[in-house]
Amino acid sequence: MSYTIKKLLDHRSIRKFKSDPVSEEQLREILNAAQAASTSNNMQAYSIITVRDYKLKEQLAELSGNQQSIKNCPLFLVWCADLYRTNVALSEKYPHIQAAGSVEHLISSTVDTSLAAQNAVIAAESLGLGIVYIGGIRNDIDQVAKLLNLPKLVYPVFGLCIGVPNEEPVLRPRLSHQIVVHENYYNSHNYKEFIQKYDSVNKEYTKRRSNGKESGSWTSKLAEKLSRPRRENLKDGLANRGFYL
């Protein structure tokens, strides 16, 4: 097995970090790796905000659901889908052509952002650093946009905490290939059987990770998450940013 595959299979979310800083050299390598990712039509429709200022991290942590990881990590990156820069590029010679915030452009810029971020994650982990994605950055994209001075047609997709790990959590089990990978056609025939097995494995994982304090299954966690509405203001927030669904 190659070193790269080993690192990928060893991935886990890190929420506790040492105080050691992420060096400028490490950051440069991480960002170079990010920009090497695939991108739709070479639009490179994303921007990355690096945040080290503690007060700003505190504000972003509060907006993201009071997530301590943001305050405690030495480096926080906010990954933004960005069509604004595309329009700046077009404005002088092609003012009649604009990258509107259509559903297609929303999806393609979000995909561009995600591909670049995952490259950054792999690079960071190869350097011995740990990461955790922060989807809570979308809790109030209007306020995040104000804090970070984001122009129209730019929205925060997620945040990324990076730093030297100060924990070694148990590796989280994944669903079986047998219900994730489909050959030629989609086949849900054995879903219930494999989901029951995965629930059992996940209960043991949860017990171990929480030192016996919790024992929830995968489906019970899904039910908990999906039983209450989340980010109901997101559609309006995207519209305020210039993206229309």
Tab-separated table of all heavy atoms in Angstrom, residues 136-198:
chain	number	residue	atom	x	y	z
A	136	GLY	N	-20.612	24.476	10.276
A	136	GLY	CA	-21.359	25.502	10.995
A	136	GLY	C	-21.098	26.910	10.504
A	136	GLY	O	-21.828	27.839	10.870
A	137	ILE	N	-20.080	27.090	9.670
A	137	ILE	CA	-19.795	28.412	9.115
A	137	ILE	C	-20.979	28.892	8.263
A	137	ILE	O	-21.118	30.097	7.994
A	137	ILE	CB	-18.491	28.381	8.278
A	137	ILE	CG1	-17.841	29.782	8.193
A	137	ILE	CG2	-18.730	27.824	6.898
A	137	ILE	CD1	-17.158	30.227	9.426
A	138	ARG	N	-21.855	27.951	7.860
A	138	ARG	CA	-23.040	28.312	7.069
A	138	ARG	C	-24.247	28.635	7.942
A	138	ARG	O	-25.334	28.886	7.423
A	138	ARG	CB	-23.403	27.176	6.099
A	138	ARG	CG	-22.338	26.844	5.076
A	138	ARG	CD	-22.856	25.877	4.022
A	138	ARG	NE	-23.350	24.626	4.598
A	138	ARG	CZ	-22.594	23.598	4.951
A	138	ARG	NH1	-21.275	23.653	4.775
A	138	ARG	NH2	-23.125	22.508	5.457
A	139	ASN	N	-24.077	28.621	9.264
A	139	ASN	CA	-25.218	28.928	10.141
A	139	ASN	C	-25.784	30.316	9.861
A	139	ASN	O	-26.992	30.528	9.937
A	139	ASN	CB	-24.791	28.853	11.614
A	139	ASN	CG	-24.604	27.426	12.085
A	139	ASN	OD1	-24.827	26.473	11.340
A	139	ASN	ND2	-24.174	27.265	13.322
A	140	ASP	N	-24.907	31.263	9.594
A	140	ASP	CA	-25.351	32.640	9.311
A	140	ASP	C	-24.370	33.243	8.307
A	140	ASP	O	-23.447	33.972	8.682
A	140	ASP	CB	-25.393	33.465	10.598
A	140	ASP	CG	-26.087	34.816	10.412
A	140	ASP	OD1	-26.126	35.294	9.251
A	140	ASP	OD2	-26.566	35.384	11.399
A	141	ILE	N	-24.577	32.932	7.030
A	141	ILE	CA	-23.589	33.345	6.037
A	141	ILE	C	-23.578	34.864	5.839
A	141	ILE	O	-22.563	35.418	5.433
A	141	ILE	CB	-23.758	32.602	4.687
A	141	ILE	CG1	-25.089	32.885	4.041
A	141	ILE	CG2	-23.558	31.111	4.872
A	141	ILE	CD1	-25.236	32.231	2.667
A	142	ASP	N	-24.691	35.535	6.157
A	142	ASP	CA	-24.703	36.996	6.054
A	142	ASP	C	-23.725	37.615	7.051
A	142	ASP	O	-22.949	38.514	6.704
A	142	ASP	CB	-26.108	37.550	6.298
A	142	ASP	CG	-27.050	37.290	5.132
A	142	ASP	OD1	-26.567	37.246	3.983
A	142	ASP	OD2	-28.264	37.123	5.357
A	143	GLN	N	-23.747	37.137	8.287
A	143	GLN	CA	-22.863	37.685	9.321
A	143	GLN	C	-21.400	37.319	9.051
A	143	GLN	O	-20.490	38.139	9.253
A	143	GLN	CB	-23.286	37.190	10.711
A	143	GLN	CG	-24.564	37.809	11.230
A	143	GLN	CD	-24.477	39.327	11.306
A	143	GLN	OE1	-23.502	39.890	11.806
A	143	GLN	NE2	-25.494	40.005	10.791
A	144	VAL	N	-21.171	36.103	8.585
A	144	VAL	CA	-19.807	35.694	8.230
A	144	VAL	C	-19.292	36.565	7.087
A	144	VAL	O	-18.140	37.019	7.094
A	144	VAL	CB	-19.757	34.195	7.850
A	144	VAL	CG1	-18.383	33.822	7.276
A	144	VAL	CG2	-20.061	33.327	9.074
A	145	ALA	N	-20.155	36.822	6.102
A	145	ALA	CA	-19.767	37.660	4.971
A	145	ALA	C	-19.393	39.069	5.429
A	145	ALA	O	-18.425	39.661	4.944
A	145	ALA	CB	-20.897	37.719	3.950
A	146	LYS	N	-20.159	39.621	6.387
A	146	LYS	CA	-19.835	40.948	6.922
A	146	LYS	C	-18.492	40.944	7.644
A	146	LYS	O	-17.664	41.837	7.455
A	146	LYS	CB	-20.938	41.406	7.877
A	146	LYS	CG	-22.201	41.867	7.193
A	146	LYS	CD	-23.242	42.307	8.218
A	146	LYS	CE	-24.550	42.677	7.532
A	146	LYS	NZ	-25.597	43.046	8.520
A	147	LEU	N	-18.297	39.922	8.465
A	147	LEU	CA	-17.042	39.829	9.221
A	147	LEU	C	-15.831	39.751	8.311
A	147	LEU	O	-14.789	40.359	8.576
A	147	LEU	CB	-17.059	38.587	10.127
A	147	LEU	CG	-17.579	38.720	11.553
A	147	LEU	CD1	-17.480	37.378	12.252
A	147	LEU	CD2	-16.816	39.782	12.328
A	148	LEU	N	-15.954	38.989	7.235
A	148	LEU	CA	-14.814	38.718	6.357
A	148	LEU	C	-14.786	39.612	5.121
A	148	LEU	O	-13.930	39.443	4.251
A	148	LEU	CB	-14.823	37.240	5.931
A	148	LEU	CG	-14.750	36.222	7.073
A	148	LEU	CD1	-14.793	34.800	6.531
A	148	LEU	CD2	-13.503	36.425	7.928
A	149	ASN	N	-15.739	40.548	5.060
A	149	ASN	CA	-15.773	41.510	3.945
A	149	ASN	C	-15.933	40.817	2.591
A	149	ASN	O	-15.288	41.170	1.604
A	149	ASN	CB	-14.496	42.383	3.950
A	149	ASN	CG	-14.641	43.610	3.065
A	149	ASN	OD1	-15.722	44.157	2.925
A	149	ASN	ND2	-13.537	44.020	2.459
A	150	LEU	N	-16.824	39.820	2.540
A	150	LEU	CA	-17.035	39.072	1.299
A	150	LEU	C	-17.944	39.865	0.368
A	150	LEU	O	-19.028	40.294	0.775
A	150	LEU	CB	-17.670	37.707	1.585
A	150	LEU	CG	-16.941	36.782	2.559
A	150	LEU	CD1	-17.700	35.459	2.674
A	150	LEU	CD2	-15.504	36.546	2.133
A	151	PRO	N	-17.560	40.052	-0.899
A	151	PRO	CA	-18.431	40.739	-1.849
A	151	PRO	C	-19.559	39.824	-2.318
A	151	PRO	O	-19.594	38.633	-1.994
A	151	PRO	CB	-17.482	41.071	-3.006
A	151	PRO	CG	-16.441	40.007	-2.947
A	151	PRO	CD	-16.279	39.651	-1.492
A	152	LYS	N	-20.494	40.400	-3.088
A	152	LYS	CA	-21.563	39.586	-3.686
A	152	LYS	C	-20.948	38.497	-4.558
A	152	LYS	O	-19.862	38.657	-5.105
A	152	LYS	CB	-22.473	40.466	-4.544
A	152	LYS	CG	-23.472	41.301	-3.751
A	152	LYS	CD	-24.568	40.428	-3.161
A	152	LYS	CE	-25.646	41.249	-2.463
A	152	LYS	NZ	-26.564	41.902	-3.388
A	153	LEU	N	-21.680	37.399	-4.690
A	153	LEU	CA	-21.266	36.226	-5.460
A	153	LEU	C	-20.085	35.493	-4.819
A	153	LEU	O	-19.352	34.766	-5.478
A	153	LEU	CB	-20.950	36.589	-6.924
A	153	LEU	CG	-22.175	37.003	-7.746
A	153	LEU	CD1	-21.751	37.440	-9.145
A	153	LEU	CD2	-23.186	35.858	-7.847
A	154	VAL	N	-19.924	35.698	-3.516
A	154	VAL	CA	-18.963	34.918	-2.718
A	154	VAL	C	-19.709	34.460	-1.462
A	154	VAL	O	-20.335	35.268	-0.791
A	154	VAL	CB	-17.739	35.759	-2.300
A	154	VAL	CG1	-16.789	34.926	-1.440
A	154	VAL	CG2	-17.015	36.297	-3.527
A	155	TYR	N	-19.679	33.144	-1.170
A	155	TYR	CA	-20.301	32.680	0.072
A	155	TYR	C	-19.397	31.654	0.755
A	155	TYR	O	-18.668	30.910	0.101
A	155	TYR	CB	-21.704	32.112	-0.200
A	155	TYR	CG	-21.770	30.627	-0.511
A	155	TYR	CD1	-21.976	29.683	0.499
A	155	TYR	CD2	-21.659	30.160	-1.818
A	155	TYR	CE1	-22.055	28.327	0.213
A	155	TYR	CE2	-21.744	28.804	-2.107
A	155	TYR	CZ	-21.944	27.895	-1.086
A	155	TYR	OH	-22.009	26.550	-1.355
A	156	PRO	N	-19.421	31.618	2.096
A	156	PRO	CA	-18.591	30.669	2.841
A	156	PRO	C	-19.198	29.266	2.803
A	156	PRO	O	-20.322	29.057	3.248
A	156	PRO	CB	-18.608	31.238	4.266
A	156	PRO	CG	-19.909	31.970	4.367
A	156	PRO	CD	-20.201	32.495	2.989
A	157	VAL	N	-18.446	28.317	2.262
A	157	VAL	CA	-18.947	26.947	2.120
A	157	VAL	C	-18.719	26.145	3.403
A	157	VAL	O	-19.604	25.465	3.902
A	157	VAL	CB	-18.272	26.236	0.926
A	157	VAL	CG1	-18.852	24.836	0.736
A	157	VAL	CG2	-18.440	27.052	-0.349
A	158	PHE	N	-17.511	26.242	3.954
A	158	PHE	CA	-17.173	25.592	5.228
A	158	PHE	C	-15.868	26.189	5.735
A	158	PHE	O	-15.145	26.880	5.005
A	158	PHE	CB	-17.046	24.069	5.097
A	158	PHE	CG	-16.317	23.603	3.867
A	158	PHE	CD1	-14.952	23.801	3.718
A	158	PHE	CD2	-16.999	22.967	2.841
A	158	PHE	CE1	-14.276	23.389	2.580
A	158	PHE	CE2	-16.336	22.546	1.692
A	158	PHE	CZ	-14.975	22.760	1.567
A	159	GLY	N	-15.592	25.911	6.988
A	159	GLY	CA	-14.311	26.290	7.569
A	159	GLY	C	-13.436	25.061	7.743
A	159	GLY	O	-13.908	23.916	7.608
A	160	LEU	N	-12.161	25.293	8.034
A	160	LEU	CA	-11.222	24.189	8.233
A	160	LEU	C	-10.230	24.569	9.321
A	160	LEU	O	-9.480	25.535	9.180
A	160	LEU	CB	-10.476	23.883	6.931
A	160	LEU	CG	-9.594	22.637	6.903
A	160	LEU	CD1	-10.443	21.376	6.983
A	160	LEU	CD2	-8.736	22.610	5.644
A	161	CYS	N	-10.279	23.845	10.426
A	161	CYS	CA	-9.303	24.024	11.499
A	161	CYS	C	-8.069	23.196	11.177
A	161	CYS	O	-8.192	22.027	10.796
A	161	CYS	CB	-9.868	23.549	12.839
A	161	CYS	SG	-11.329	24.434	13.393
A	162	ILE	N	-6.889	23.778	11.352
A	162	ILE	CA	-5.638	23.070	11.083
A	162	ILE	C	-4.671	23.328	12.230
A	162	ILE	O	-4.552	24.459	12.721
A	162	ILE	CB	-4.984	23.538	9.763
A	162	ILE	CG1	-5.941	23.362	8.587
A	162	ILE	CG2	-3.688	22.778	9.491
A	162	ILE	CD1	-5.363	23.792	7.235
A	163	GLY	N	-3.968	22.282	12.650
A	163	GLY	CA	-2.960	22.431	13.693
A	163	GLY	C	-2.336	21.093	14.049
A	163	GLY	O	-2.693	20.052	13.479
A	164	VAL	N	-1.413	21.134	14.983
A	164	VAL	CA	-0.780	19.897	15.464
A	164	VAL	C	-1.774	19.182	16.379
A	164	VAL	O	-2.265	19.778	17.344
A	164	VAL	CB	0.528	20.200	16.216
A	164	VAL	CG1	1.138	18.911	16.765
A	164	VAL	CG2	1.518	20.921	15.300
A	165	PRO	N	-2.092	17.916	16.109
A	165	PRO	CA	-3.096	17.211	16.919
A	165	PRO	C	-2.695	17.098	18.389
A	165	PRO	O	-1.533	16.858	18.714
A	165	PRO	CB	-3.157	15.822	16.269
A	165	PRO	CG	-2.628	16.006	14.893
A	165	PRO	CD	-1.585	17.083	15.001
A	166	ASN	N	-3.682	17.259	19.258
A	166	ASN	CA	-3.482	17.048	20.690
A	166	ASN	C	-4.425	15.956	21.177
A	166	ASN	O	-4.850	15.948	22.323
A	166	ASN	CB	-3.727	18.341	21.470
A	166	ASN	CG	-3.105	18.287	22.857
A	166	ASN	OD1	-2.188	17.510	23.098
A	166	ASN	ND2	-3.609	19.095	23.767
A	167	GLU	N	-4.764	15.062	20.283
A	167	GLU	CA	-5.602	13.898	20.599
A	167	GLU	C	-5.404	12.868	19.495
A	167	GLU	O	-4.911	13.188	18.410
A	167	GLU	CB	-7.079	14.289	20.690
A	167	GLU	CG	-7.665	14.825	19.389
A	167	GLU	CD	-9.161	15.067	19.463
A	167	GLU	OE1	-9.808	14.537	20.388
A	167	GLU	OE2	-9.697	15.762	18.581
A	168	GLU	N	-5.792	11.634	19.788
A	168	GLU	CA	-5.729	10.576	18.777
A	168	GLU	C	-7.025	9.786	18.845
A	168	GLU	O	-7.076	8.699	19.427
A	168	GLU	CB	-4.525	9.661	19.013
A	168	GLU	CG	-4.229	8.762	17.829
A	168	GLU	CD	-2.940	7.967	18.001
A	168	GLU	OE1	-2.166	8.267	18.923
A	168	GLU	OE2	-2.723	7.043	17.201
A	169	PRO	N	-8.093	10.354	18.256
A	169	PRO	CA	-9.401	9.690	18.355
A	169	PRO	C	-9.430	8.359	17.619
A	169	PRO	O	-8.639	8.111	16.710
A	169	PRO	CB	-10.354	10.700	17.713
A	169	PRO	CG	-9.487	11.549	16.849
A	169	PRO	CD	-8.145	11.592	17.486
A	170	VAL	N	-10.370	7.533	18.050
A	170	VAL	CA	-10.565	6.230	17.415
A	170	VAL	C	-11.008	6.450	15.967
A	170	VAL	O	-11.775	7.362	15.674
A	170	VAL	CB	-11.651	5.434	18.173
A	170	VAL	CG1	-11.885	4.078	17.517
A	170	VAL	CG2	-11.253	5.267	19.631
A	171	LEU	N	-10.498	5.617	15.077
A	171	LEU	CA	-10.848	5.719	13.657
A	171	LEU	C	-12.327	5.372	13.466
A	171	LEU	O	-12.787	4.323	13.918
A	171	LEU	CB	-9.970	4.758	12.850
A	171	LEU	CG	-9.879	4.990	11.347
A	171	LEU	CD1	-9.254	6.341	11.028
A	171	LEU	CD2	-9.045	3.883	10.709
A	172	ARG	N	-13.058	6.256	12.808
A	172	ARG	CA	-14.502	6.039	12.617
A	172	ARG	C	-14.739	5.036	11.484
A	172	ARG	O	-14.218	5.204	10.377
A	172	ARG	CB	-15.174	7.368	12.269
A	172	ARG	CG	-16.703	7.292	12.212
A	172	ARG	CD	-17.289	8.561	11.619
A	172	ARG	NE	-17.040	9.727	12.449
A	172	ARG	CZ	-17.839	10.166	13.419
A	172	ARG	NH1	-18.956	9.499	13.689
A	172	ARG	NH2	-17.533	11.252	14.107
A	173	PRO	N	-15.536	3.990	11.733
A	173	PRO	CA	-15.825	3.021	10.659
A	173	PRO	C	-16.696	3.639	9.576
A	173	PRO	O	-17.479	4.559	9.839
A	173	PRO	CB	-16.567	1.897	11.393
A	173	PRO	CG	-17.159	2.550	12.602
A	173	PRO	CD	-16.215	3.641	12.994
A	174	ARG	N	-16.566	3.130	8.370
A	174	ARG	CA	-17.354	3.613	7.238
A	174	ARG	C	-18.324	2.530	6.774
A	174	ARG	O	-18.178	1.350	7.095
A	174	ARG	CB	-16.436	3.998	6.072
A	174	ARG	CG	-15.420	5.087	6.377
A	174	ARG	CD	-16.073	6.386	6.787
A	174	ARG	NE	-15.149	7.512	6.714
A	174	ARG	CZ	-15.340	8.675	7.327
A	174	ARG	NH1	-16.415	8.870	8.064
A	174	ARG	NH2	-14.471	9.658	7.210
A	175	LEU	N	-19.300	2.948	5.976
A	175	LEU	CA	-20.236	1.995	5.381
A	175	LEU	C	-19.500	0.994	4.494
A	175	LEU	O	-18.453	1.311	3.930
A	175	LEU	CB	-21.274	2.744	4.537
A	175	LEU	CG	-22.346	3.531	5.292
A	175	LEU	CD1	-23.016	4.530	4.359
A	175	LEU	CD2	-23.387	2.590	5.892
A	176	SER	N	-20.072	-0.178	4.353
A	176	SER	CA	-19.480	-1.221	3.508
A	176	SER	C	-19.484	-0.810	2.042
A	176	SER	O	-20.420	-0.176	1.558
A	176	SER	CB	-20.275	-2.520	3.677
A	176	SER	OG	-19.929	-3.449	2.677
A	177	HIS	N	-18.409	-1.201	1.336
A	177	HIS	CA	-18.361	-0.991	-0.116
A	177	HIS	C	-19.593	-1.578	-0.788
A	177	HIS	O	-20.031	-1.093	-1.834
A	177	HIS	CB	-17.132	-1.691	-0.704
A	177	HIS	CG	-15.861	-0.951	-0.474
A	177	HIS	ND1	-14.673	-1.342	-1.033
A	177	HIS	CD2	-15.575	0.166	0.251
A	177	HIS	CE1	-13.717	-0.512	-0.661
A	177	HIS	NE2	-14.240	0.395	0.117
A	178	GLN	N	-20.142	-2.644	-0.194
A	178	GLN	CA	-21.219	-3.372	-0.856
A	178	GLN	C	-22.499	-2.554	-1.002
A	178	GLN	O	-23.372	-2.907	-1.803
A	178	GLN	CB	-21.495	-4.678	-0.097
A	178	GLN	CG	-20.346	-5.684	-0.275
A	178	GLN	CD	-20.395	-6.808	0.730
A	178	GLN	OE1	-20.064	-6.623	1.897
A	178	GLN	NE2	-20.822	-7.968	0.281
A	179	ILE	N	-22.634	-1.460	-0.234
A	179	ILE	CA	-23.817	-0.615	-0.432
A	179	ILE	C	-23.440	0.811	-0.853
A	179	ILE	O	-24.317	1.648	-1.062
A	179	ILE	CB	-24.729	-0.565	0.817
A	179	ILE	CG1	-24.005	-0.004	2.038
A	179	ILE	CG2	-25.285	-1.931	1.110
A	179	ILE	CD1	-24.955	0.274	3.200
A	180	VAL	N	-22.166	1.062	-0.993
A	180	VAL	CA	-21.715	2.379	-1.462
A	180	VAL	C	-21.316	2.323	-2.934
A	180	VAL	O	-21.571	3.254	-3.696
A	180	VAL	CB	-20.528	2.882	-0.604
A	180	VAL	CG1	-19.932	4.161	-1.177
A	180	VAL	CG2	-20.979	3.111	0.843
A	181	VAL	N	-20.706	1.213	-3.332
A	181	VAL	CA	-20.216	1.052	-4.700
A	181	VAL	C	-21.203	0.196	-5.494
A	181	VAL	O	-21.551	-0.908	-5.077
A	181	VAL	CB	-18.815	0.398	-4.706
A	181	VAL	CG1	-18.293	0.276	-6.126
A	181	VAL	CG2	-17.851	1.201	-3.839
A	182	HIS	N	-21.653	0.713	-6.626
A	182	HIS	CA	-22.629	0.010	-7.468
A	182	HIS	C	-22.007	-0.247	-8.836
A	182	HIS	O	-21.364	0.633	-9.402
A	182	HIS	CB	-23.893	0.856	-7.636
A	182	HIS	CG	-24.497	1.301	-6.344
A	182	HIS	ND1	-25.577	0.684	-5.759
A	182	HIS	CD2	-24.157	2.323	-5.504
A	182	HIS	CE1	-25.883	1.297	-4.639
A	182	HIS	NE2	-25.032	2.297	-4.456
A	183	GLU	N	-22.201	-1.438	-9.361
A	183	GLU	CA	-21.637	-1.768	-10.667
A	183	GLU	C	-22.704	-1.634	-11.753
A	183	GLU	O	-23.738	-2.313	-11.699
A	183	GLU	CB	-21.073	-3.193	-10.669
A	183	GLU	CG	-20.362	-3.532	-11.966
A	183	GLU	CD	-19.631	-4.871	-11.917
A	183	GLU	OE1	-19.590	-5.484	-10.835
A	183	GLU	OE2	-19.124	-5.287	-12.966
A	184	ASN	N	-22.433	-0.747	-12.692
A	184	ASN	CA	-23.298	-0.505	-13.850
A	184	ASN	C	-24.618	0.198	-13.492
A	184	ASN	O	-24.990	1.172	-14.136
A	184	ASN	CB	-23.604	-1.790	-14.619
A	184	ASN	CG	-22.356	-2.373	-15.262
A	184	ASN	OD1	-21.487	-1.628	-15.724
A	184	ASN	ND2	-22.254	-3.692	-15.284
A	185	TYR	N	-25.346	-0.312	-12.491
A	185	TYR	CA	-26.634	0.270	-12.142
A	185	TYR	C	-26.759	0.385	-10.622
A	185	TYR	O	-26.166	-0.399	-9.881
A	185	TYR	CB	-27.794	-0.594	-12.675
A	185	TYR	CG	-27.703	-0.854	-14.159
A	185	TYR	CD1	-27.199	-2.058	-14.642
A	185	TYR	CD2	-28.104	0.119	-15.072
A	185	TYR	CE1	-27.095	-2.292	-16.003
A	185	TYR	CE2	-28.017	-0.105	-16.434
A	185	TYR	CZ	-27.511	-1.313	-16.891
A	185	TYR	OH	-27.409	-1.536	-18.245
A	186	TYR	N	-27.579	1.321	-10.192
A	186	TYR	CA	-27.829	1.500	-8.759
A	186	TYR	C	-28.599	0.296	-8.231
A	186	TYR	O	-29.593	-0.143	-8.826
A	186	TYR	CB	-28.640	2.786	-8.545
A	186	TYR	CG	-28.703	3.248	-7.120
A	186	TYR	CD1	-27.818	4.208	-6.643
A	186	TYR	CD2	-29.660	2.744	-6.241
A	186	TYR	CE1	-27.871	4.647	-5.327
A	186	TYR	CE2	-29.721	3.175	-4.941
A	186	TYR	CZ	-28.834	4.131	-4.481
A	186	TYR	OH	-28.899	4.556	-3.181
A	187	ASN	N	-28.165	-0.242	-7.104
A	187	ASN	CA	-28.785	-1.442	-6.541
A	187	ASN	C	-28.919	-1.285	-5.030
A	187	ASN	O	-27.920	-1.281	-4.317
A	187	ASN	CB	-27.925	-2.671	-6.891
A	187	ASN	CG	-28.519	-3.966	-6.344
A	187	ASN	OD1	-29.610	-3.963	-5.773
A	187	ASN	ND2	-27.808	-5.054	-6.524
A	188	SER	N	-30.144	-1.153	-4.549
A	188	SER	CA	-30.374	-0.971	-3.112
A	188	SER	C	-30.884	-2.251	-2.437
A	188	SER	O	-31.386	-2.215	-1.310
A	188	SER	CB	-31.393	0.156	-2.891
A	188	SER	OG	-32.631	-0.169	-3.506
A	189	HIS	N	-30.717	-3.384	-3.096
A	189	HIS	CA	-31.317	-4.646	-2.648
A	189	HIS	C	-30.914	-5.023	-1.219
A	189	HIS	O	-31.762	-5.457	-0.425
A	189	HIS	CB	-30.920	-5.770	-3.619
A	189	HIS	CG	-31.463	-7.114	-3.234
A	189	HIS	ND1	-32.815	-7.398	-3.270
A	189	HIS	CD2	-30.840	-8.245	-2.781
A	189	HIS	CE1	-33.009	-8.652	-2.857
A	189	HIS	NE2	-31.833	-9.181	-2.569
A	190	ASN	N	-29.641	-4.866	-0.866
A	190	ASN	CA	-29.174	-5.332	0.451
A	190	ASN	C	-28.981	-4.205	1.465
A	190	ASN	O	-28.287	-4.392	2.464
A	190	ASN	CB	-27.839	-6.083	0.284
A	190	ASN	CG	-28.004	-7.389	-0.469
A	190	ASN	OD1	-28.981	-8.107	-0.244
A	190	ASN	ND2	-27.071	-7.690	-1.348
A	191	TYR	N	-29.578	-3.066	1.218
A	191	TYR	CA	-29.355	-1.924	2.104
A	191	TYR	C	-29.677	-2.232	3.570
A	191	TYR	O	-28.877	-1.970	4.465
A	191	TYR	CB	-30.201	-0.736	1.634
A	191	TYR	CG	-29.501	0.164	0.642
A	191	TYR	CD1	-28.330	-0.227	0.006
A	191	TYR	CD2	-30.033	1.400	0.329
A	191	TYR	CE1	-27.707	0.598	-0.919
A	191	TYR	CE2	-29.416	2.241	-0.595
A	191	TYR	CZ	-28.250	1.830	-1.207
A	191	TYR	OH	-27.632	2.648	-2.103
A	192	LYS	N	-30.858	-2.765	3.833
A	192	LYS	CA	-31.296	-2.953	5.229
A	192	LYS	C	-30.342	-3.864	5.992
A	192	LYS	O	-29.968	-3.589	7.133
A	192	LYS	CB	-32.718	-3.501	5.261
A	192	LYS	CG	-33.761	-2.463	4.849
A	192	LYS	CD	-35.170	-2.980	5.021
A	192	LYS	CE	-36.178	-1.905	4.634
A	192	LYS	NZ	-37.574	-2.400	4.781
A	193	GLU	N	-29.929	-4.936	5.348
A	193	GLU	CA	-29.016	-5.896	5.994
A	193	GLU	C	-27.685	-5.227	6.374
A	193	GLU	O	-27.207	-5.352	7.508
A	193	GLU	CB	-28.764	-7.065	5.047
A	193	GLU	CG	-27.730	-8.060	5.561
A	193	GLU	CD	-27.311	-9.065	4.484
A	193	GLU	OE1	-27.993	-9.133	3.429
A	193	GLU	OE2	-26.295	-9.755	4.701
A	194	PHE	N	-27.103	-4.505	5.439
A	194	PHE	CA	-25.799	-3.895	5.695
A	194	PHE	C	-25.895	-2.695	6.639
A	194	PHE	O	-24.975	-2.429	7.412
A	194	PHE	CB	-25.120	-3.509	4.380
A	194	PHE	CG	-24.514	-4.677	3.655
A	194	PHE	CD1	-25.159	-5.255	2.575
A	194	PHE	CD2	-23.304	-5.214	4.081
A	194	PHE	CE1	-24.593	-6.350	1.922
A	194	PHE	CE2	-22.729	-6.292	3.426
A	194	PHE	CZ	-23.377	-6.867	2.345
A	195	ILE	N	-27.019	-1.991	6.589
A	195	ILE	CA	-27.208	-0.872	7.517
A	195	ILE	C	-27.336	-1.385	8.952
A	195	ILE	O	-26.798	-0.789	9.892
A	195	ILE	CB	-28.424	-0.017	7.108
A	195	ILE	CG1	-28.082	0.794	5.848
A	195	ILE	CG2	-28.844	0.924	8.230
A	195	ILE	CD1	-29.269	1.476	5.195
A	196	GLN	N	-28.026	-2.510	9.135
A	196	GLN	CA	-28.121	-3.110	10.472
A	196	GLN	C	-26.731	-3.492	10.999
A	196	GLN	O	-26.401	-3.258	12.168
A	196	GLN	CB	-29.033	-4.340	10.438
A	196	GLN	CG	-30.515	-4.000	10.341
A	196	GLN	CD	-31.385	-5.240	10.203
A	196	GLN	OE1	-30.888	-6.360	10.007
A	196	GLN	NE2	-32.689	-5.045	10.280
A	197	LYS	N	-25.918	-4.059	10.120
A	197	LYS	CA	-24.553	-4.435	10.516
A	197	LYS	C	-23.736	-3.195	10.867
A	197	LYS	O	-22.988	-3.173	11.855
A	197	LYS	CB	-23.864	-5.210	9.386
A	197	LYS	CG	-24.396	-6.614	9.169
A	197	LYS	CD	-23.672	-7.299	8.008
A	197	LYS	CE	-24.232	-8.687	7.763
A	197	LYS	NZ	-23.595	-9.354	6.600
A	198	TYR	N	-23.900	-2.153	10.060
A	198	TYR	CA	-23.149	-0.923	10.298
A	198	TYR	C	-23.598	-0.258	11.596
A	198	TYR	O	-22.779	0.294	12.339
A	198	TYR	CB	-23.327	0.029	9.113
A	198	TYR	CG	-22.483	1.283	9.213
A	198	TYR	CD1	-21.094	1.208	9.272
A	198	TYR	CD2	-23.076	2.545	9.236
A	198	TYR	CE1	-20.319	2.359	9.353
A	198	TYR	CE2	-22.308	3.693	9.308
A	198	TYR	CZ	-20.926	3.596	9.375
A	198	TYR	OH	-20.166	4.738	9.466
